[in-house]
Amino acid sequence: YNTKYGEKAQPGDVIFLDIAGEKSNTPDGKITDADKTKIGKGMPDWTFGLSLGADWKGFDIRMFWQGTLKRDYFQGSYYFWGANGRQGPWFSTALKGHDDYFRNDETSPLGTNLNSYYPRPLFNTDKNQQSQTKYLQDASYLRLKNLQIGYSLPHNIVQKMGMQHLRIFASGENLFTITSLIDFFDPESIEGGSWGHGNVYPLSRTFSFGLNVTF
C-alpha cells in the first residue's frame, strides 16, 4: 500500500503521523488526507518598522529597522527541494545546500549522509515533499533596511565658504538580516517569483555617499 504520503517508507523517507488514528484511539497504520491538521500561521502576528536617530556635536546617525514576528511558511517549490519530485529531473535545480540529502550508499561520490536535512530525492512522486512540520519555515525576520551616518560642518566654517549648511553622509541599504529562514530565500520575497516559487533576484546591499548643501 503506497500513496503520496509514503507508506512502506524506506531509509531516507519522511515518516508521517497517523493523527486521525491517534485521535480515535484506533490507528490503522494508513496515512491519508484525514490525517492532515493545521500547521503554522502564514500571516505574521506582527509587522513592524522602527526609526531611530541621534545627533551629537555635528554628527548624526539614522537607522530604519523592519521585520515580522511569528510567521510560518511552507515553501514547497523545486527551488526549495532541489529535486522536483512531481515533475522530474528536467524541472529540478541544484544549489549549494541541496547536496545535504540522505545518502546511505558508500559508493556515492558525495559520501554517505545519514543525518541529512533533506530526505532521499525521488522523481515522479512527491511523497517526501508534502506539507509537513519538519520543513515548515520560520519566516520571521529583523532587517536593517537603512543606516545613514552624517557630519555637518560648523556654521562658521560653512559661512566662510559661502554656504549656510554643508553635510557629508554615507548611507547603506539592506545591511544585514536576522532570520532562521533557509538560505535560499529572502523573507521579504519568499512568496515572489514564478508561481510563488520564491526564485526572485535577491535584495541588493547598496552603499552611497553624498553631500547636502544649502546656500
Side-chain angles (χ1 to χ4, degrees):
Y1 183 74
N2 199 356
T3 72
K4 62 182 179 181
Y5 298 111
E7 285 81 351
K8 295 185 178 179
Q10 298 182 28
D13 284 341
V14 174
I15 305 299
F16 295 92
L17 181 65
D18 184 7
I19 294 177
E22 287 196 350
K23 289 181 177 179
S24 63
N25 293 321
T26 56
D28 56 8
K30 296 180 180 180
I31 308 298
T32 66
D33 286 342
D35 294 294
K36 287 184 175 181
T37 187
K38 183 178 179 180
I39 58 173
K41 295 184 63 176
M43 296 298 294
D45 283 356
W46 301 92
T47 299
F48 65 90
L50 177 64
S51 296
L52 300 173
D55 299 270
W56 180 75
K57 294 184 177 181
F59 290 95
D60 63 86
I61 183 171
R62 300 288 183 270
M63 292 187 291
F64 177 66
W65 299 82
Q66 77 172 37
T68 62
L69 296 176
K70 293 186 178 181
R71 185 193 184 193
D72 301 306
Y73 196 84
F74 184 80
Q75 179 41 274
S77 69
Y78 71 93
Y79 196 56
F80 173 81
W81 293 108
N84 192 317
R86 180 174 297 176
Q87 294 176 299
W90 298 111
F91 291 88
S92 299
T93 188
L95 302 173
K96 183 179 180 180
H98 284 141
D99 57 350
D100 188 13
Y101 64 89
F102 181 86
R103 299 184 296 275
N104 61 352
D105 183 2
E106 295 181 355
T107 64
S108 170
L110 296 178
T112 58
N113 188 19
L114 303 181
N115 189 28
S116 64
Y117 178 71
Y118 286 108
R120 66 185 181 115
L122 298 173
F123 296 118
N124 302 317
T125 175
D126 57 356
K127 69 175 186 175
N128 281 338
Q129 299 177 0
Q130 299 296 315
S131 298
Q132 55 200 263
T133 54
K134 175 174 173 57
Y135 298 107
L136 189 68
Q137 298 292 304
D138 179 358
S140 56
Y141 72 96
L142 174 65
R143 169 168 286 162
L144 179 57
K145 288 293 292 183
N146 176 263
L147 172 65
Q148 190 172 122
I149 300 175
Y151 176 70
S152 298
L153 272 67
H155 287 293
N156 59 337
I157 296 177
V158 172
Q159 288 175 352
K160 291 179 181 180
M161 300 170 62
M163 295 176 286
Q164 297 182 8
H165 181 76
L166 175 60
R167 176 176 175 266
I168 306 169
F169 71 89
S171 179
E173 307 281 340
N174 302 313
L175 295 182
F176 70 88
T177 305
I178 301 172
T179 182
S180 59
L181 186 67
I182 195 169
D183 292 341
F184 303 146
F185 300 96
D186 186 282
E188 288 191 68
S189 58
I190 190 173
E191 296 177 283
S194 56
W195 297 286
H197 287 171
N199 53 343
V200 299
Y201 196 82
L203 294 178
S204 300
R205 182 182 294 114
T206 60
F207 300 91
S208 59
F209 306 89
L211 298 173
N212 295 130
V213 181
T214 303
F215 291 96

